[in-house]
Amino acid sequence: MKNFYLKATQGIFYTPEVKLNAETGHCQIMGESQADNSVKFYTPIIEWIEHYIKHVRGRIRFDFELVYFDTSSSKFIHQILKILRKYELKSGQVIINWHYPDDNEDILDEGLQFSEDTGLDIKFLPYVNDEAY
C-alpha cells in the first residue's frame, strides 16, 4: 500500500495538507479546509483509510490540526471519525489527536462534539496559534 499526500492549497478556497503513512499508520490533516468540492477532495482520503483498515489492519494514529473547516468539510471529518470508530470496535487500535489553537474555542468545541457523536476517545491538544499554516 502506498502513502498518500496532498499539498495544502490557498486561494478563493482552501484545502488542508494531508499525509497518510501506510508504513506507520500515522495520518495528518493540517491547515484550513474550505474546499470548492469537498466530495472530490475527501473521497480519496476516505478510500485510502478504508483500504488501510481492510488490508493493513495496523494501528492508526490520526492527527487533526485544523485551524478552520467549513460545514461541508465537517461532514467528511465526521465520516472519517465514524470509519475509525467502526475499526476500533472491531479491535483495531485507533489513536485520535485533535490539535486546536488555544485561542479558538470553536475548533475545540467541534472536536468535543465529534468525540461525543462517534464515541471515540479523542485526545485534545492545545497549541499556540502562530498562524504557521
Side-chain angles (χ1 to χ4, degrees):
M1 182 169 180
K2 294 183 179 182
N3 293 340
F4 183 92
Y5 177 77
L6 291 173
K7 184 178 179 179
T9 62
Q10 295 182 346
I12 295 173
F13 297 99
Y14 292 79
T15 60
E17 181 176 12
V18 178
K19 297 178 183 178
L20 309 175
N21 189 308
E23 289 83 38
T24 65
H26 185 205
C27 304
Q28 298 171 281
I29 297 180
M30 304 166 286
E32 294 185 46
S33 186
Q34 187 178 1
D36 178 32
N37 184 339
S38 293
V39 173
K40 184 178 177 182
F41 181 80
Y42 280 98
T43 296
I45 297 166
I46 289 168
E47 289 172 349
W48 187 96
I49 294 166
E50 288 174 336
H51 187 81
Y52 179 88
I53 288 169
K54 184 176 181 181
H55 297 286
V56 177
R57 296 185 192 98
R59 180 183 82 137
I60 191 163
R61 180 179 130 202
F62 221 109
D63 284 285
F64 291 91
E65 302 174 33
L66 296 162
V67 294
Y68 174 80
F69 51 92
D70 61 9
T71 303
S72 181
S73 299
S74 176
K75 290 176 184 176
F76 285 97
I77 293 166
H78 190 261
Q79 186 176 350
I80 289 168
L81 292 169
K82 284 183 1 183
I83 291 166
L84 295 173
R85 177 62 175 155
K86 284 181 186 176
Y87 181 55
E88 182 178 68
L89 290 172
K90 293 180 179 177
S91 300
Q93 186 179 6
V94 177
I95 299 166
I96 308 291
N97 294 316
W98 187 268
H99 304 262
Y100 65 95
D102 66 350
D103 62 350
N104 188 333
E105 288 192 25
D106 291 339
I107 297 291
L108 171 60
D109 290 343
E110 289 284 344
L112 291 166
Q113 189 64 50
F114 286 138
S115 180
E116 184 178 320
D117 291 348
T118 62
L120 282 165
D121 182 20
I122 298 175
K123 185 173 184 180
F124 295 95
L125 304 165
Y127 64 87
V128 176
N129 187 8
D130 61 2
E131 301 204 11
Y133 296 102

